[in-house]
Amino acid sequence: MTLIRRQLLARAALAAGAALLPGAWTPALAQARLPEDPFALGVASGEPEPDGVVLWTRLAPRPLQPDGGMAPAPVEVRWTVAEDEQLRRVVRSGSALAVAEGGHAVHVEVAGLRPDRPYWYRFTAGGHASPTGRTRTAPARGADVRRLRLAYGSCQKYEAGFWGAYDHLVADDPDLVLFLGDYIYEQAATNKGVRRHPGPEPTDLSGYRIRYGAYKSDPKLKAAHAAAPWMVIWDDHEVENDYGGDQDRANSDPALFLRRRAAAYQAYFEHMPLRRRSIPVGPQMLLHRSLDWGRLAQFQFLDTRQNRPHRTCDVLSDEKLIPDCPERTDPSRSLLGAAQERWLLDTLGGSKARWNLLAQQYAMGEIQRPTPEGLRYSNDGWGGYAQTRRRILERWRDAEVPNPVVLGGDIHCFIAADLGLEEGRPIASEFVGGSISSLGATNADLQALMQANPRLTFTEGERRGYGRVEITPGGCDVTFRAIDSALVPESPVRDIVRFHVEAGRPGLQRA
Ligand code: FE
Ligand code: CA
């Protein structure tokens, strides 16, 4: 093997998140014909910058097999980026090695593109061509951008429903798609849903790969990835329900749990259009980051799972709702962990963007839950870490961060509310975008919740869908879009409510 080939292979292995090198490898073997179409999981793009994006695919002709149906040898994957859908005006091309240690996934960081325009891309490998994907670059730094249209979703439990919401998300033609967590659900297959994912609950890399293989085989999800660049963050189910740090609900041995978390993070990286900076190192993976859209908007993406301290006021390990307790407001405990929280507060303080969108996993504001035993709080999200929320709100206020807006997921309901430190003085507004298919609360229960929490101005728990956001220098418009039914593959969509936030005037208005 020549030195250059050795370096190429080492780079490919590194880019795949793999720590070791395969033994025998030759270019001829890497370019050999593949007997089956390896692009069953489609293509994706993400992490747009003014000069480039990440292009993703994973070679897996049989996605429900642990190795995706691939032999262990590395495979050369060629990629092409063009200015037109027919791929005639090619502007960039190259190749990457897909290696078994990285699940035969490739993450190509394309650079040298022009800002704020669409591009089309395609992969070829082993005599097969992938579908053509469409992506776009971010506007130039400081550019005077007049409009950004995005869609955001979360919580797509495969067994709970079909993903008809994506048909409409694609038709909306967003510049950007945000996915805010629960991309897969890890539980074992059941007979209770409208369709069945394969296999037992995953605990190792093979298991998680199979689960992603099932989810990412869905044609509607593939179409949504091929339509626009995505920015993704995880919640709990990408690893295990309600985990935090090195602790799962069952309080398993932390060393064993971290081994599981490492496998889950590796599988997550292998299936998402993420940059090399997110390559996992054992059970650690960098996921918090910001994204600029010219001078119009900055996004701060949070990871609220990886670095949190142990569960707050944990009386019983299976009890998520806790009474108020000193730990909840202990300033030394951060939902984000010290390093990420410092990064966030610094980033917010330095933002010159007209709009600052916090993309995170939950409903961020305080939600009190009345029970016969008194008020309860969820210790799974911000409710267990009230001081972290307070410090962010104070930062928005004290640094005069322009126009903060929070987007969230997790609770399988649409929620709109203002956020503030004092009653009636909003600092930001939050919009929780429903769920793509996971089942939520009944509206009767949500009505009771609204009575206990007058801060909540809108809730809807019985319908599935996503949020659509249009941002201009003057305002931010959020529309909650719900399909009639996720129990059938295709379903019409309706706008269920619209909100407007005016620049310079905190607080949401119902449009
Ligand atoms: Fe969920
Ligand atoms: Ca969740």
Side-chain angles (χ1 to χ4, degrees):
M1 199 165 13
T2 67
L3 185 61
I4 287 172
R5 274 182 210 140
R6 228 179 259 286
Q7 285 169 343
L8 183 67
L9 187 55
R11 271 217 309 271
L14 193 68
L20 57 136
L21 295 177
W25 175 76
T26 66
L29 189 61
Q31 290 162 4
R33 225 193 130 68
L34 294 169
E36 294 172 278
D37 178 4
F39 296 109
L41 301 180
V43 299
S45 71
E47 309 286 315
E49 292 280 333
D51 71 335
V53 292
V54 173
L55 306 180
W56 171 93
T57 192
R58 178 181 165 225
L59 307 180
R62 299 181 185 200
L64 303 188
Q65 294 182 5
D67 57 7
M70 293 292 290
V75 176
E76 186 184 57
V77 181
R78 299 199 60 79
W79 54 270
T80 301
V81 178
E83 291 179 337
D84 64 307
E85 193 168 2
Q86 286 70 43
L87 305 174
R88 291 201 190 99
R89 298 196 303 279
V90 173
V91 291
R92 285 284 180 276
S93 61
S95 71
L97 266 192
V99 301
E101 290 76 5
H104 285 105
V106 295
H107 300 75
V108 178
E109 296 193 13
V110 183
L113 303 180
R114 291 193 284 142
D116 201 16
R117 58 150 297 153
Y119 286 96
W120 286 261
Y121 61 96
R122 193 177 68 165
F123 298 93
T124 55
H128 302 268
S130 76
T132 299
R134 180 181 184 274
T135 188
R136 76 174 296 121
T137 47
R141 293 199 199 293
D144 182 20
V145 181
R146 305 317 292 173
R147 192 175 74 154
L148 165 63
R149 292 160 66 227
L150 68 90
Y152 68 104
S154 61
C155 295
Q156 49 186 17
K157 190 169 191 177
Y158 188 88
E159 297 197 316
F162 295 98
W163 298 337
Y166 283 127
D167 290 341
H168 306 290
L169 183 149
V170 170
D172 288 347
D173 193 20
D175 299 316
L176 188 63
V177 176
L178 316 184
F179 195 87
L180 304 182
D182 290 353
Y183 191 96
I184 59 161
Y185 282 71
E186 84 289 4
Q187 290 106 337
T190 68
N191 286 322
K192 288 186 240 157
V194 297
R195 51 182 181 165
R196 218 178 133 100
H197 60 219
E201 181 166 331
T203 55
D204 60 9
L205 182 52
S206 292
Y208 284 107
R209 279 178 178 161
I210 292 168
R211 192 56 60 91
Y212 280 100
Y215 272 59
K216 290 187 79 80
S217 294
D218 183 281
K220 294 182 194 303
L221 179 60
K222 284 193 277 187
H225 275 295
W230 283 43
M231 292 294 294
V232 297
I233 47 176
W234 57 38
D235 191 25
D236 51 343
H237 288 287
E238 286 85 352
V239 181
E240 190 187 4
N241 182 41
D242 286 353
Y243 89 93
D246 63 3
Q247 184 184 40
D248 64 7
R249 264 289 162 208
N251 296 327
S252 307
D253 176 351
L256 285 179
F257 177 70
L258 285 178
R259 195 183 299 172
R260 178 179 186 179
R261 194 179 96 171
Y265 284 8
Q266 172 66 22
Y268 185 78
F269 179 78
E270 287 176 4
H271 291 89
M272 297 295 149
L274 289 164
R275 289 190 181 268
R276 279 190 294 265
R277 65 185 171 213
S278 292
I279 292 173
V281 179
Q284 294 174 329
M285 179 168 159
L286 180 67
L287 201 62
H288 67 265
R289 60 212 187 276
S290 57
L291 170 73
D292 289 301
W293 209 262
R295 222 169 28 194
L296 181 64
Q298 183 180 90
F299 297 81
Q300 300 94 29
F301 291 91
L302 299 188
D303 165 9
T304 53
R305 287 287 166 191
Q306 186 172 185
N307 298 306
R308 61 164 72 175
H310 282 179
R311 271 191 303 274
T312 305
C313 319
D314 196 16
V315 192
L316 299 163
S317 66
D318 60 348
E319 187 49 89
K320 172 142 69 173
L321 295 183
I322 52 167
D324 207 355
C325 66
E327 262 191 353
R328 220 171 73 79
T329 47
D330 175 351
S332 75
R333 293 166 53 81
S334 173
L335 178 64
L336 306 177
Q340 183 183 186
E341 185 173 328
R342 173 96 333 258
W343 164 84
L344 176 64
L345 299 182
D346 287 350
T347 301
L348 289 173
S351 176
K352 302 276 184 290
R354 180 89 166 169
W355 293 90
N356 282 276
L357 291 107
L358 193 63
Q360 49 83 55
Q361 288 79 11
Y362 309 105
M364 188 176 175
E366 186 87 290
I367 295 180
Q368 301 183 331
R369 299 173 195 253
T371 72
E373 294 79 40
L375 287 178
R376 291 290 181 272
Y377 304 84
S378 168
N379 73 352
D380 188 49
W382 297 95
Y385 305 83
Q387 292 298 82
T388 314
R389 176 177 53 219
R390 182 186 58 75
R391 289 191 290 261
I392 295 170
L393 282 157
E394 287 175 353
R395 187 64 165 173
W396 279 331
R397 181 194 63 192
D398 298 343
E400 297 179 14
V401 177
N403 301 308
V405 170
V406 181
L407 304 177
D410 176 57
I411 55 170
H412 311 171
C413 301
F414 291 102
I415 290 181
D418 285 334
L419 296 169
L421 290 159
E422 302 151 58
E423 192 70 41
R425 297 197 59 181
I427 294 171
S429 298
E430 69 171 327
F431 301 96
V432 179
S435 73
I436 296 291
S437 61
S438 307
L439 299 179
T442 66
N443 284 342
D445 285 348
L446 287 172
Q447 284 306 314
L449 200 67
M450 286 178 78
Q451 276 179 1
N453 298 270
R455 190 182 69 79
L456 305 178
T457 54
F458 180 85
T459 60
E460 161 63 54
E462 296 176 6
R463 300 165 76 180
R464 313 277 69 87
Y466 61 98
R468 187 169 70 189
V469 183
E470 182 161 328
I471 302 168
T472 64
C476 172
D477 289 282
V478 180
T479 306
F480 289 158
R481 310 250 296 154
I483 53 173
D484 286 354
S485 172
L487 302 179
V488 291
E490 268 99 35
S491 184
V493 72
R494 274 163 238 281
D495 292 355
I496 53 175
V497 66
R498 299 184 65 175
F499 298 96
H500 178 72
V501 182
E502 197 180 315
R505 194 178 146 208
L508 62 81
Q509 303 153 42
R510 201 154 164 161

